[in-house]
Amino acid sequence: MVELLTVLLNVKDFFEDPSFLIGIPFVALGALGVLIALTPVELRWPQPAPAQPEYEILDHVEGDHPDAREYIKIGVVLAVITAVEVAVYYLDIADGALLAILLTLSAAKFVLVVLWFMHLKFDNRLLSIAFGSGMALVTALLIVVLSTLGAGLV
Amino acid sequence: MWLFLASETLFFGGLIGTYLLYRDASVAPPCATDCTFDGVTYQGLYDIPFTSVSAFVLLMSSVTMVLALAAIQRNDRRGLQIWLAATALLGITFLAGQAFEFTEFYHEGLALNTNLFGTTFFVLTGFHGAHVSVGVLILLALWIMARRGRITNENALNVELAGLYWHFVDIVWIVIFTLVYLIQ
């Protein structure tokens, strides 16, 4: 216990050892979580109007969903992007450029499906925040792990 | 549902990261792409044209899924049944393709415990296949409910939630197809 206290109170060593620094963002995140948990401010969750049917709660908050014709148009765009991806794979392009092109095309497909087919573009912003948080965490995880442990994509 | 999907992104993110990390770390054949061990060159296992068709099938199943939702939103119950059945069939086609790919790889000498490529590849794509299987079961259950007239535009939220899960499974494959198969 005394040793633990000594380590915790020895701020100088803490900041001189780079391996400790990586913990700072996590400590900050944890502190933020505790603050949010203890805050007396009430979070504003979407409140459905009493007369609304259940289906309307998540839908039509920001606007109407597209119609079938629009979905088919997006489906055609997705098919074309996939065809371009496969075509690019067979072209003789430098590795770095190939990586950039494929990641861009893949991200475009991802965004189209999430915004239009999953209706995130039209639904309550709170849902975007929920999914966006997961995406931000996983992106940070992949960047940190792949860059520090040397999994070169190129 | 969105919080569940957010947690699923972390689950698949971990598996994709592990695959990328150990992609070229196998010390024994076979490999994803052409590789050489002890002076012997082994042909890569990936069949890009075949996987491209699988990716296309799953992508199109997202289109049929969203058309099922659009159908029930305008209270078209017949349309709902047709598009749900089409989505489930496309999902089953994708699973059949994955079963074929796994069998082919196994016959080429790749098992779960052969090398790091085998372990990370089968765990990642296997878990995705398991998610697709669960999705197909949900779709079939919805299709049976729709045939019995138990889904109307009043409770179309059930179709929307199933659709969210199905589209998520599709976007995971969009990422896997690019990061695992195309970028080598």
Side-chain angles (χ1 to χ4, degrees), chain A residues 55 59 65 68 71 75 78-79 82 85-86 89-90 99 102-103 106 110 113-114 117-120 127 130-131 134 138 142 146 149 151-152, chain B residues 2-3 5-6 9-10 13 17 20-21 23 48-49 52 56 59-60 63 66-67 69 73 156-157 160 164 167 171 174 178-179 182-184:
Chain A
Y55 180 65
D59 193 14
H65 289 180
Y71 288 137
L78 289 170
T82 307
E85 271 185 318
V86 178
Y89 170 81
Y90 285 106
L99 179 73
L102 287 177
L103 285 180
S106 178
F110 188 99
V113 173
V114 170
F117 287 179
M118 298 171 90
H119 305 133
L120 216 46
L127 304 178
F131 189 63
V138 79
L142 286 178
L146 296 181
L149 296 180
Chain B
W2 279 102
L3 283 175
L5 296 183
T9 60
L10 292 170
L20 294 175
L21 204 56
R23 190 176 46 170
I48 297 301
S52 303
F56 180 76
L59 202 59
M60 289 305 104
V63 180
V66 84
L67 289 176
L69 178 64
Q73 278 175 342
L157 183 63
E160 175 141 24
L164 284 178
H167 296 311
I171 57 174
I174 288 174
T178 304
L179 285 181
L182 294 183
I183 297 172
Q184 294 170 4

Short mmCIF file of all heavy atoms in Angstrom, two decimals, chain A residues 55 59 65 68 71 75 78-79 82 85-86 89-90 99 102-103 106 110 113-114 117-120 127 130-131 134 138 142 146 149 151-152, chain B residues 2-3 5-6 9-10 13 17 20-21 23 48-49 52 56 59-60 63 66-67 69 73 156-157 160 164 167 171 174 178-179 182-184:
data_model
loop_
_atom_site.label_atom_id
_atom_site.label_comp_id
_atom_site.label_asym_id
_atom_site.label_seq_id
_atom_site.Cartn_x
_atom_site.Cartn_y
_atom_site.Cartn_z
N TYR A 55 -44.18 3.00 -33.77
CA TYR A 55 -43.29 3.05 -34.91
C TYR A 55 -42.76 4.46 -35.16
O TYR A 55 -41.66 4.65 -35.66
CB TYR A 55 -44.02 2.54 -36.15
CG TYR A 55 -43.16 2.56 -37.37
CD1 TYR A 55 -42.03 1.74 -37.45
CD2 TYR A 55 -43.43 3.42 -38.42
CE1 TYR A 55 -41.22 1.77 -38.55
CE2 TYR A 55 -42.63 3.45 -39.53
CZ TYR A 55 -41.52 2.62 -39.59
OH TYR A 55 -40.71 2.67 -40.68
N ASP A 59 -38.85 7.01 -36.05
CA ASP A 59 -38.96 7.39 -37.44
C ASP A 59 -39.51 8.81 -37.55
O ASP A 59 -40.13 9.33 -36.64
CB ASP A 59 -39.92 6.40 -38.10
CG ASP A 59 -39.85 6.52 -39.60
OD1 ASP A 59 -38.91 7.16 -40.08
OD2 ASP A 59 -40.74 5.98 -40.27
N HIS A 65 -38.54 9.03 -44.70
CA HIS A 65 -37.59 8.14 -45.35
C HIS A 65 -37.75 8.23 -46.86
O HIS A 65 -38.82 8.60 -47.35
CB HIS A 65 -37.86 6.71 -44.89
CG HIS A 65 -37.47 6.47 -43.46
ND1 HIS A 65 -37.63 5.26 -42.85
CD2 HIS A 65 -36.92 7.28 -42.54
CE1 HIS A 65 -37.21 5.35 -41.60
NE2 HIS A 65 -36.78 6.57 -41.39
N ALA A 68 -39.06 3.81 -52.51
CA ALA A 68 -38.42 2.61 -53.07
C ALA A 68 -37.51 2.94 -54.25
O ALA A 68 -36.44 2.35 -54.41
CB ALA A 68 -39.49 1.61 -53.47
N TYR A 71 -34.18 4.04 -53.09
CA TYR A 71 -33.39 2.92 -52.56
C TYR A 71 -32.75 2.13 -53.70
O TYR A 71 -31.60 1.69 -53.60
CB TYR A 71 -34.29 1.98 -51.75
CG TYR A 71 -34.73 2.52 -50.41
CD1 TYR A 71 -36.05 2.37 -49.98
CD2 TYR A 71 -33.84 3.18 -49.57
CE1 TYR A 71 -36.45 2.87 -48.75
CE2 TYR A 71 -34.24 3.68 -48.35
CZ TYR A 71 -35.56 3.52 -47.94
OH TYR A 71 -35.95 4.01 -46.73
N GLY A 75 -28.90 1.37 -54.52
CA GLY A 75 -28.44 0.00 -54.74
C GLY A 75 -27.59 -0.11 -56.00
O GLY A 75 -26.55 -0.78 -56.01
N LEU A 78 -24.22 1.36 -55.29
CA LEU A 78 -23.42 0.42 -54.49
C LEU A 78 -22.84 -0.68 -55.37
O LEU A 78 -21.68 -1.08 -55.22
CB LEU A 78 -24.28 -0.19 -53.37
CG LEU A 78 -24.68 0.74 -52.23
CD1 LEU A 78 -25.72 0.09 -51.34
CD2 LEU A 78 -23.45 1.12 -51.40
N ALA A 79 -23.66 -1.19 -56.30
CA ALA A 79 -23.19 -2.25 -57.20
C ALA A 79 -22.07 -1.75 -58.08
O ALA A 79 -21.06 -2.43 -58.28
CB ALA A 79 -24.37 -2.75 -58.04
N THR A 82 -18.85 -1.45 -56.12
CA THR A 82 -18.24 -2.76 -55.91
C THR A 82 -17.51 -3.23 -57.18
O THR A 82 -16.40 -3.75 -57.11
CB THR A 82 -19.32 -3.80 -55.52
OG1 THR A 82 -20.06 -3.30 -54.40
CG2 THR A 82 -18.70 -5.14 -55.15
N GLU A 85 -14.32 -1.36 -57.45
CA GLU A 85 -13.35 -1.89 -56.48
C GLU A 85 -12.62 -3.11 -57.05
O GLU A 85 -11.39 -3.21 -56.98
CB GLU A 85 -14.08 -2.32 -55.19
CG GLU A 85 -14.24 -1.25 -54.15
CD GLU A 85 -14.86 -1.80 -52.87
OE1 GLU A 85 -15.80 -2.61 -52.97
OE2 GLU A 85 -14.40 -1.43 -51.80
N VAL A 86 -13.40 -4.04 -57.59
CA VAL A 86 -12.81 -5.27 -58.12
C VAL A 86 -11.94 -4.95 -59.33
O VAL A 86 -10.85 -5.50 -59.49
CB VAL A 86 -13.92 -6.29 -58.46
CG1 VAL A 86 -13.31 -7.56 -59.05
CG2 VAL A 86 -14.73 -6.63 -57.22
N TYR A 89 -8.67 -3.52 -58.26
CA TYR A 89 -7.82 -4.58 -57.68
C TYR A 89 -6.95 -5.22 -58.76
O TYR A 89 -5.79 -5.57 -58.53
CB TYR A 89 -8.72 -5.63 -57.02
CG TYR A 89 -8.00 -6.89 -56.59
CD1 TYR A 89 -7.29 -6.92 -55.40
CD2 TYR A 89 -8.03 -8.02 -57.40
CE1 TYR A 89 -6.63 -8.06 -55.01
CE2 TYR A 89 -7.36 -9.17 -57.01
CZ TYR A 89 -6.67 -9.20 -55.83
OH TYR A 89 -6.02 -10.33 -55.44
N TYR A 90 -7.49 -5.36 -59.97
CA TYR A 90 -6.75 -6.02 -61.05
C TYR A 90 -5.86 -5.07 -61.85
O TYR A 90 -5.09 -5.50 -62.69
CB TYR A 90 -7.72 -6.73 -62.01
CG TYR A 90 -8.28 -8.01 -61.41
CD1 TYR A 90 -9.58 -8.07 -60.94
CD2 TYR A 90 -7.48 -9.14 -61.28
CE1 TYR A 90 -10.09 -9.23 -60.36
CE2 TYR A 90 -7.98 -10.30 -60.70
CZ TYR A 90 -9.27 -10.34 -60.26
OH TYR A 90 -9.75 -11.48 -59.68
N LEU A 99 -4.31 1.29 -52.03
CA LEU A 99 -4.85 1.31 -50.66
C LEU A 99 -5.80 2.49 -50.49
O LEU A 99 -6.93 2.33 -49.99
CB LEU A 99 -3.70 1.41 -49.66
CG LEU A 99 -4.08 1.45 -48.19
CD1 LEU A 99 -4.56 0.10 -47.71
CD2 LEU A 99 -2.90 1.91 -47.34
N LEU A 102 -9.07 1.97 -52.64
CA LEU A 102 -9.95 0.93 -52.10
C LEU A 102 -10.61 1.35 -50.78
O LEU A 102 -11.79 1.11 -50.56
CB LEU A 102 -9.17 -0.38 -51.90
CG LEU A 102 -8.82 -1.12 -53.19
CD1 LEU A 102 -7.97 -2.36 -52.88
CD2 LEU A 102 -10.06 -1.54 -53.95
N LEU A 103 -9.82 2.01 -49.92
CA LEU A 103 -10.39 2.47 -48.64
C LEU A 103 -11.46 3.54 -48.87
O LEU A 103 -12.49 3.54 -48.20
CB LEU A 103 -9.28 3.02 -47.73
CG LEU A 103 -8.37 1.97 -47.07
CD1 LEU A 103 -7.33 2.64 -46.19
CD2 LEU A 103 -9.18 0.96 -46.25
N SER A 106 -14.59 1.81 -50.27
CA SER A 106 -15.23 1.04 -49.20
C SER A 106 -15.95 1.97 -48.23
O SER A 106 -17.10 1.69 -47.83
CB SER A 106 -14.15 0.23 -48.48
OG SER A 106 -14.70 -0.48 -47.42
N PHE A 110 -19.92 2.11 -47.21
CA PHE A 110 -20.28 2.07 -45.79
C PHE A 110 -21.22 3.23 -45.44
O PHE A 110 -22.29 3.04 -44.86
CB PHE A 110 -18.99 2.15 -44.97
CG PHE A 110 -19.15 1.93 -43.50
CD1 PHE A 110 -18.88 0.68 -42.94
CD2 PHE A 110 -19.55 2.95 -42.66
CE1 PHE A 110 -19.02 0.47 -41.58
CE2 PHE A 110 -19.70 2.75 -41.30
CZ PHE A 110 -19.43 1.50 -40.76
N VAL A 113 -24.77 3.01 -47.06
CA VAL A 113 -25.67 2.05 -46.39
C VAL A 113 -26.13 2.61 -45.05
O VAL A 113 -27.32 2.57 -44.73
CB VAL A 113 -24.97 0.67 -46.21
CG1 VAL A 113 -25.85 -0.26 -45.37
CG2 VAL A 113 -24.69 0.03 -47.56
N VAL A 114 -25.18 3.15 -44.28
CA VAL A 114 -25.54 3.63 -42.92
C VAL A 114 -26.50 4.83 -43.00
O VAL A 114 -27.51 4.87 -42.30
CB VAL A 114 -24.27 4.01 -42.13
CG1 VAL A 114 -24.64 4.72 -40.84
CG2 VAL A 114 -23.46 2.76 -41.81
N PHE A 117 -29.82 3.40 -46.07
CA PHE A 117 -30.55 2.17 -45.79
C PHE A 117 -30.86 2.04 -44.28
O PHE A 117 -31.88 1.50 -43.91
CB PHE A 117 -29.76 0.94 -46.25
CG PHE A 117 -29.73 0.78 -47.74
CD1 PHE A 117 -29.04 -0.27 -48.33
CD2 PHE A 117 -30.39 1.66 -48.57
CE1 PHE A 117 -29.01 -0.43 -49.70
CE2 PHE A 117 -30.37 1.52 -49.95
CZ PHE A 117 -29.67 0.47 -50.51
N MET A 118 -29.93 2.50 -43.43
CA MET A 118 -30.17 2.42 -41.99
C MET A 118 -30.81 3.72 -41.47
O MET A 118 -31.02 3.86 -40.26
CB MET A 118 -28.86 2.12 -41.25
CG MET A 118 -28.26 0.76 -41.65
SD MET A 118 -26.60 0.47 -41.01
CE MET A 118 -26.96 -0.29 -39.44
N HIS A 119 -31.05 4.66 -42.40
CA HIS A 119 -31.82 5.88 -42.11
C HIS A 119 -31.19 6.81 -41.08
O HIS A 119 -31.88 7.65 -40.50
CB HIS A 119 -33.24 5.53 -41.62
CG HIS A 119 -33.98 4.66 -42.57
ND1 HIS A 119 -34.68 3.54 -42.19
CD2 HIS A 119 -34.10 4.72 -43.91
CE1 HIS A 119 -35.21 2.96 -43.25
NE2 HIS A 119 -34.87 3.65 -44.30
N LEU A 120 -29.88 6.67 -40.87
CA LEU A 120 -29.25 7.53 -39.87
C LEU A 120 -29.34 9.01 -40.29
O LEU A 120 -29.37 9.90 -39.44
CB LEU A 120 -27.80 7.11 -39.66
CG LEU A 120 -27.25 7.21 -38.25
CD1 LEU A 120 -28.20 6.64 -37.22
CD2 LEU A 120 -25.91 6.52 -38.14
N LEU A 127 -29.10 8.80 -32.13
CA LEU A 127 -28.73 7.49 -32.68
C LEU A 127 -27.38 7.59 -33.41
O LEU A 127 -26.55 6.69 -33.33
CB LEU A 127 -29.82 6.99 -33.63
CG LEU A 127 -31.23 6.89 -33.04
CD1 LEU A 127 -32.22 6.42 -34.09
CD2 LEU A 127 -31.24 5.93 -31.85
N ALA A 130 -24.71 7.59 -30.80
CA ALA A 130 -24.49 6.25 -30.25
C ALA A 130 -23.60 5.42 -31.18
O ALA A 130 -22.59 4.85 -30.76
CB ALA A 130 -25.82 5.55 -30.03
N PHE A 131 -23.95 5.39 -32.46
CA PHE A 131 -23.19 4.57 -33.40
C PHE A 131 -21.83 5.21 -33.70
O PHE A 131 -20.82 4.51 -33.79
CB PHE A 131 -23.99 4.41 -34.70
CG PHE A 131 -23.38 3.42 -35.65
CD1 PHE A 131 -23.25 2.09 -35.30
CD2 PHE A 131 -22.93 3.82 -36.90
CE1 PHE A 131 -22.68 1.17 -36.17
CE2 PHE A 131 -22.37 2.91 -37.78
CZ PHE A 131 -22.25 1.58 -37.41
N GLY A 134 -19.16 4.33 -31.12
CA GLY A 134 -18.57 3.00 -31.35
C GLY A 134 -17.58 3.02 -32.49
O GLY A 134 -16.49 2.47 -32.41
N VAL A 138 -13.54 2.24 -32.30
CA VAL A 138 -12.91 1.14 -33.05
C VAL A 138 -11.87 1.69 -34.03
O VAL A 138 -10.82 1.06 -34.25
CB VAL A 138 -13.98 0.28 -33.77
CG1 VAL A 138 -14.49 0.90 -35.05
CG2 VAL A 138 -13.42 -1.10 -34.06
N LEU A 142 -7.97 0.56 -33.95
CA LEU A 142 -7.25 0.02 -35.10
C LEU A 142 -6.01 0.85 -35.43
O LEU A 142 -4.95 0.29 -35.71
CB LEU A 142 -8.18 -0.05 -36.32
CG LEU A 142 -9.23 -1.17 -36.27
CD1 LEU A 142 -10.14 -1.13 -37.49
CD2 LEU A 142 -8.56 -2.55 -36.19
N LEU A 146 -2.52 -1.03 -35.04
CA LEU A 146 -1.82 -1.33 -36.29
C LEU A 146 -0.57 -0.48 -36.47
O LEU A 146 0.43 -0.94 -37.02
CB LEU A 146 -2.76 -1.13 -37.49
CG LEU A 146 -3.95 -2.09 -37.52
CD1 LEU A 146 -4.81 -1.84 -38.75
CD2 LEU A 146 -3.50 -3.54 -37.50
N LEU A 149 2.05 -1.75 -33.49
CA LEU A 149 2.54 -3.13 -33.58
C LEU A 149 3.03 -3.49 -34.98
O LEU A 149 3.33 -4.65 -35.25
CB LEU A 149 1.48 -4.10 -33.09
CG LEU A 149 1.11 -3.93 -31.61
CD1 LEU A 149 0.06 -4.91 -31.19
CD2 LEU A 149 2.33 -4.08 -30.72
N ALA A 151 1.71 -3.45 -38.27
CA ALA A 151 1.04 -4.18 -39.34
C ALA A 151 0.92 -3.25 -40.53
O ALA A 151 -0.08 -2.58 -40.70
CB ALA A 151 -0.33 -4.65 -38.88
N GLY A 152 1.97 -3.15 -41.34
CA GLY A 152 1.97 -2.23 -42.48
C GLY A 152 0.96 -2.67 -43.52
O GLY A 152 0.95 -3.82 -43.94
N TRP B 2 -29.14 0.60 -31.76
CA TRP B 2 -27.92 1.30 -32.21
C TRP B 2 -26.77 1.13 -31.22
O TRP B 2 -25.60 1.06 -31.62
CB TRP B 2 -28.22 2.79 -32.45
CG TRP B 2 -28.86 3.00 -33.79
CD1 TRP B 2 -30.17 3.22 -34.06
CD2 TRP B 2 -28.19 2.97 -35.06
NE1 TRP B 2 -30.37 3.34 -35.41
CE2 TRP B 2 -29.18 3.19 -36.05
CE3 TRP B 2 -26.87 2.79 -35.47
CZ2 TRP B 2 -28.89 3.23 -37.42
CZ3 TRP B 2 -26.57 2.83 -36.82
CH2 TRP B 2 -27.58 3.04 -37.78
N LEU B 3 -27.08 1.07 -29.92
CA LEU B 3 -26.02 0.84 -28.93
C LEU B 3 -25.46 -0.57 -29.10
O LEU B 3 -24.25 -0.79 -29.00
CB LEU B 3 -26.57 1.03 -27.51
CG LEU B 3 -26.75 2.48 -27.08
CD1 LEU B 3 -27.40 2.54 -25.71
CD2 LEU B 3 -25.43 3.23 -27.08
N LEU B 5 -25.39 -2.24 -31.90
CA LEU B 5 -24.57 -2.22 -33.11
C LEU B 5 -23.23 -1.53 -32.86
O LEU B 5 -22.19 -1.95 -33.39
CB LEU B 5 -25.32 -1.51 -34.25
CG LEU B 5 -26.62 -2.19 -34.72
CD1 LEU B 5 -27.22 -1.43 -35.89
CD2 LEU B 5 -26.37 -3.64 -35.11
N ALA B 6 -23.25 -0.48 -32.00
CA ALA B 6 -21.99 0.20 -31.67
C ALA B 6 -21.05 -0.77 -30.96
O ALA B 6 -19.84 -0.79 -31.22
CB ALA B 6 -22.28 1.41 -30.78
N THR B 9 -19.48 -3.13 -33.43
CA THR B 9 -18.37 -2.58 -34.22
C THR B 9 -17.05 -2.84 -33.50
O THR B 9 -16.04 -3.15 -34.13
CB THR B 9 -18.51 -1.06 -34.46
OG1 THR B 9 -18.54 -0.41 -33.20
CG2 THR B 9 -19.71 -0.71 -35.27
N LEU B 10 -17.08 -2.75 -32.16
CA LEU B 10 -15.86 -3.01 -31.38
C LEU B 10 -15.49 -4.48 -31.48
O LEU B 10 -14.31 -4.85 -31.58
CB LEU B 10 -16.06 -2.60 -29.92
CG LEU B 10 -16.19 -1.10 -29.70
CD1 LEU B 10 -16.63 -0.80 -28.29
CD2 LEU B 10 -14.88 -0.42 -29.99
N GLY B 13 -14.19 -4.98 -34.91
CA GLY B 13 -12.95 -4.21 -35.02
C GLY B 13 -11.78 -4.97 -34.43
O GLY B 13 -10.68 -5.01 -35.01
N GLY B 17 -8.70 -6.22 -36.66
CA GLY B 17 -7.36 -5.77 -36.25
C GLY B 17 -6.42 -6.94 -36.04
O GLY B 17 -5.26 -6.91 -36.47
N LEU B 20 -5.37 -8.37 -39.42
CA LEU B 20 -4.38 -7.53 -40.12
C LEU B 20 -3.01 -7.61 -39.45
O LEU B 20 -1.98 -7.62 -40.11
CB LEU B 20 -4.86 -6.07 -40.15
CG LEU B 20 -6.12 -5.81 -40.98
CD1 LEU B 20 -6.56 -4.36 -40.84
CD2 LEU B 20 -5.88 -6.14 -42.45
N LEU B 21 -3.05 -7.71 -38.12
CA LEU B 21 -1.80 -7.76 -37.36
C LEU B 21 -0.99 -9.02 -37.67
O LEU B 21 0.22 -8.98 -37.81
CB LEU B 21 -2.16 -7.71 -35.87
CG LEU B 21 -1.11 -7.22 -34.90
CD1 LEU B 21 -0.64 -5.83 -35.30
CD2 LEU B 21 -1.70 -7.18 -33.50
N ARG B 23 -1.41 -10.97 -40.35
CA ARG B 23 -1.64 -11.36 -41.75
C ARG B 23 -0.42 -12.04 -42.38
O ARG B 23 -0.53 -13.06 -43.04
CB ARG B 23 -2.03 -10.12 -42.54
CG ARG B 23 -2.52 -10.40 -43.92
CD ARG B 23 -2.95 -9.13 -44.56
NE ARG B 23 -1.96 -8.08 -44.34
CZ ARG B 23 -1.99 -6.91 -44.95
NH1 ARG B 23 -2.96 -6.63 -45.77
NH2 ARG B 23 -1.07 -5.99 -44.72
N ILE B 48 -10.64 -14.05 -55.65
CA ILE B 48 -11.29 -12.74 -55.63
C ILE B 48 -12.58 -12.71 -56.46
O ILE B 48 -13.60 -12.16 -55.99
CB ILE B 48 -10.29 -11.64 -56.08
CG1 ILE B 48 -9.12 -11.56 -55.07
CG2 ILE B 48 -10.98 -10.28 -56.17
CD1 ILE B 48 -9.53 -11.26 -53.64
N PRO B 49 -12.60 -13.26 -57.69
CA PRO B 49 -13.88 -13.21 -58.44
C PRO B 49 -15.03 -13.86 -57.66
O PRO B 49 -16.14 -13.32 -57.60
CB PRO B 49 -13.57 -14.00 -59.72
CG PRO B 49 -12.10 -13.87 -59.88
CD PRO B 49 -11.53 -13.85 -58.50
N SER B 52 -16.02 -11.66 -54.76
CA SER B 52 -16.68 -10.45 -55.25
C SER B 52 -18.16 -10.72 -55.47
O SER B 52 -19.01 -9.88 -55.14
CB SER B 52 -16.05 -9.98 -56.56
OG SER B 52 -14.68 -9.76 -56.39
N PHE B 56 -21.26 -8.99 -53.60
CA PHE B 56 -22.34 -8.38 -54.37
C PHE B 56 -23.70 -8.92 -53.90
O PHE B 56 -24.66 -8.16 -53.74
CB PHE B 56 -22.13 -8.67 -55.86
CG PHE B 56 -23.18 -8.08 -56.75
CD1 PHE B 56 -23.19 -6.73 -57.04
CD2 PHE B 56 -24.18 -8.89 -57.29
CE1 PHE B 56 -24.17 -6.19 -57.85
CE2 PHE B 56 -25.16 -8.35 -58.10
CZ PHE B 56 -25.16 -7.00 -58.38
N LEU B 59 -24.61 -7.36 -50.62
CA LEU B 59 -24.94 -5.95 -50.82
C LEU B 59 -26.36 -5.81 -51.37
O LEU B 59 -27.14 -4.96 -50.92
CB LEU B 59 -23.93 -5.34 -51.80
CG LEU B 59 -23.74 -3.84 -51.80
CD1 LEU B 59 -23.30 -3.36 -50.43
CD2 LEU B 59 -22.71 -3.43 -52.84
N MET B 60 -26.70 -6.67 -52.32
CA MET B 60 -28.03 -6.61 -52.91
C MET B 60 -29.11 -7.03 -51.91
O MET B 60 -30.26 -6.58 -51.98
CB MET B 60 -28.10 -7.49 -54.17
CG MET B 60 -27.32 -6.94 -55.34
SD MET B 60 -27.80 -5.24 -55.78
CE MET B 60 -26.45 -4.27 -55.14
N VAL B 63 -30.40 -4.08 -50.27
CA VAL B 63 -31.39 -3.36 -51.07
C VAL B 63 -32.77 -4.00 -50.90
O VAL B 63 -33.77 -3.31 -50.66
CB VAL B 63 -30.98 -3.35 -52.57
CG1 VAL B 63 -32.01 -2.58 -53.39
CG2 VAL B 63 -29.61 -2.75 -52.76
N VAL B 66 -34.28 -3.17 -47.46
CA VAL B 66 -34.83 -1.82 -47.31
C VAL B 66 -36.12 -1.68 -48.13
O VAL B 66 -37.04 -0.92 -47.77
CB VAL B 66 -33.76 -0.76 -47.66
CG1 VAL B 66 -33.67 -0.48 -49.14
CG2 VAL B 66 -34.01 0.53 -46.90
N LEU B 67 -36.22 -2.46 -49.22
CA LEU B 67 -37.46 -2.45 -50.00
C LEU B 67 -38.59 -3.13 -49.22
O LEU B 67 -39.76 -2.74 -49.35
CB LEU B 67 -37.24 -3.14 -51.35
CG LEU B 67 -36.37 -2.36 -52.34
CD1 LEU B 67 -36.13 -3.16 -53.61
CD2 LEU B 67 -37.01 -1.01 -52.69
N LEU B 69 -38.91 -2.96 -45.99
CA LEU B 69 -39.35 -1.95 -45.02
C LEU B 69 -40.23 -0.90 -45.71
O LEU B 69 -41.28 -0.51 -45.19
CB LEU B 69 -38.13 -1.29 -44.36
CG LEU B 69 -38.46 -0.17 -43.37
CD1 LEU B 69 -39.22 -0.72 -42.17
CD2 LEU B 69 -37.19 0.53 -42.91
N GLN B 73 -44.15 0.00 -44.87
CA GLN B 73 -44.47 1.38 -44.47
C GLN B 73 -45.66 1.93 -45.26
O GLN B 73 -46.39 2.79 -44.78
CB GLN B 73 -43.24 2.28 -44.67
CG GLN B 73 -42.27 2.17 -43.51
CD GLN B 73 -41.00 2.96 -43.71
OE1 GLN B 73 -40.66 3.33 -44.83
NE2 GLN B 73 -40.26 3.20 -42.65
N ALA B 156 -44.40 -1.93 -37.89
CA ALA B 156 -43.30 -2.05 -38.84
C ALA B 156 -41.94 -1.84 -38.19
O ALA B 156 -40.90 -2.10 -38.79
CB ALA B 156 -43.49 -1.05 -39.98
N LEU B 157 -41.95 -1.39 -36.93
CA LEU B 157 -40.69 -1.20 -36.21
C LEU B 157 -39.92 -2.52 -36.13
O LEU B 157 -38.69 -2.53 -36.17
CB LEU B 157 -40.97 -0.67 -34.80
CG LEU B 157 -39.73 -0.36 -33.95
CD1 LEU B 157 -38.90 0.75 -34.56
CD2 LEU B 157 -40.14 0.04 -32.53
N GLU B 160 -37.99 -2.75 -39.21
CA GLU B 160 -36.92 -1.76 -39.20
C GLU B 160 -35.74 -2.24 -38.34
O GLU B 160 -34.58 -2.11 -38.73
CB GLU B 160 -37.43 -0.41 -38.68
CG GLU B 160 -36.29 0.61 -38.54
CD GLU B 160 -36.68 2.01 -38.95
OE1 GLU B 160 -37.87 2.32 -38.90
OE2 GLU B 160 -35.78 2.78 -39.32
N LEU B 164 -31.99 -3.04 -39.51
CA LEU B 164 -30.77 -2.41 -38.98
C LEU B 164 -29.70 -3.47 -38.75
O LEU B 164 -28.53 -3.29 -39.11
CB LEU B 164 -31.08 -1.68 -37.67
CG LEU B 164 -31.81 -0.35 -37.77
CD1 LEU B 164 -32.08 0.22 -36.39
CD2 LEU B 164 -31.00 0.64 -38.59
N HIS B 167 -28.43 -4.73 -42.20
CA HIS B 167 -27.54 -3.77 -42.87
C HIS B 167 -26.19 -3.72 -42.16
O HIS B 167 -25.16 -3.56 -42.80
CB HIS B 167 -28.17 -2.37 -42.87
CG HIS B 167 -29.43 -2.28 -43.65
ND1 HIS B 167 -29.55 -2.76 -44.94
CD2 HIS B 167 -30.65 -1.79 -43.34
CE1 HIS B 167 -30.79 -2.57 -45.38
NE2 HIS B 167 -31.47 -1.99 -44.42
N ILE B 171 -22.54 -4.03 -43.75
CA ILE B 171 -21.43 -3.07 -43.72
C ILE B 171 -20.16 -3.71 -43.14
O ILE B 171 -19.06 -3.35 -43.51
CB ILE B 171 -21.78 -1.74 -42.99
CG1 ILE B 171 -22.23 -1.98 -41.57
CG2 ILE B 171 -22.78 -0.94 -43.77
CD1 ILE B 171 -22.44 -0.69 -40.78
N ILE B 174 -18.62 -5.26 -46.05
CA ILE B 174 -18.01 -4.24 -46.92
C ILE B 174 -16.58 -3.98 -46.45
O ILE B 174 -15.64 -3.92 -47.24
CB ILE B 174 -18.84 -2.93 -46.88
CG1 ILE B 174 -20.16 -3.10 -47.64
CG2 ILE B 174 -18.05 -1.76 -47.46
CD1 ILE B 174 -21.11 -1.91 -47.53
N THR B 178 -12.89 -5.40 -48.32
CA THR B 178 -11.80 -4.51 -48.72
C THR B 178 -10.52 -4.81 -47.94
O THR B 178 -9.46 -5.04 -48.54
CB THR B 178 -12.20 -3.03 -48.49
OG1 THR B 178 -13.40 -2.79 -49.22
CG2 THR B 178 -11.12 -2.09 -48.97
N LEU B 179 -10.61 -4.81 -46.62
CA LEU B 179 -9.38 -4.92 -45.79
C LEU B 179 -8.77 -6.31 -45.82
O LEU B 179 -7.55 -6.47 -45.75
CB LEU B 179 -9.68 -4.52 -44.35
CG LEU B 179 -9.85 -3.03 -44.05
CD1 LEU B 179 -10.12 -2.80 -42.58
CD2 LEU B 179 -8.62 -2.23 -44.50
N LEU B 182 -9.24 -7.59 -50.64
CA LEU B 182 -8.70 -6.79 -51.73
C LEU B 182 -7.34 -6.18 -51.42
O LEU B 182 -6.48 -6.08 -52.28
CB LEU B 182 -9.69 -5.67 -52.10
CG LEU B 182 -11.02 -6.16 -52.70
CD1 LEU B 182 -11.90 -4.97 -53.10
CD2 LEU B 182 -10.80 -7.06 -53.91
N ILE B 183 -7.14 -5.74 -50.16
CA ILE B 183 -5.85 -5.14 -49.80
C ILE B 183 -4.95 -6.25 -49.27
O ILE B 183 -5.18 -6.79 -48.20
CB ILE B 183 -6.02 -4.04 -48.74
CG1 ILE B 183 -6.86 -2.89 -49.30
CG2 ILE B 183 -4.67 -3.51 -48.27
CD1 ILE B 183 -7.26 -1.85 -48.30
N GLN B 184 -3.96 -6.61 -50.05
CA GLN B 184 -3.11 -7.74 -49.64
C GLN B 184 -1.66 -7.32 -49.51
O GLN B 184 -1.01 -7.02 -50.45
CB GLN B 184 -3.26 -8.88 -50.64
CG GLN B 184 -4.70 -9.43 -50.59
CD GLN B 184 -4.99 -10.40 -51.70
OE1 GLN B 184 -4.13 -10.73 -52.48
NE2 GLN B 184 -6.21 -10.86 -51.78
#
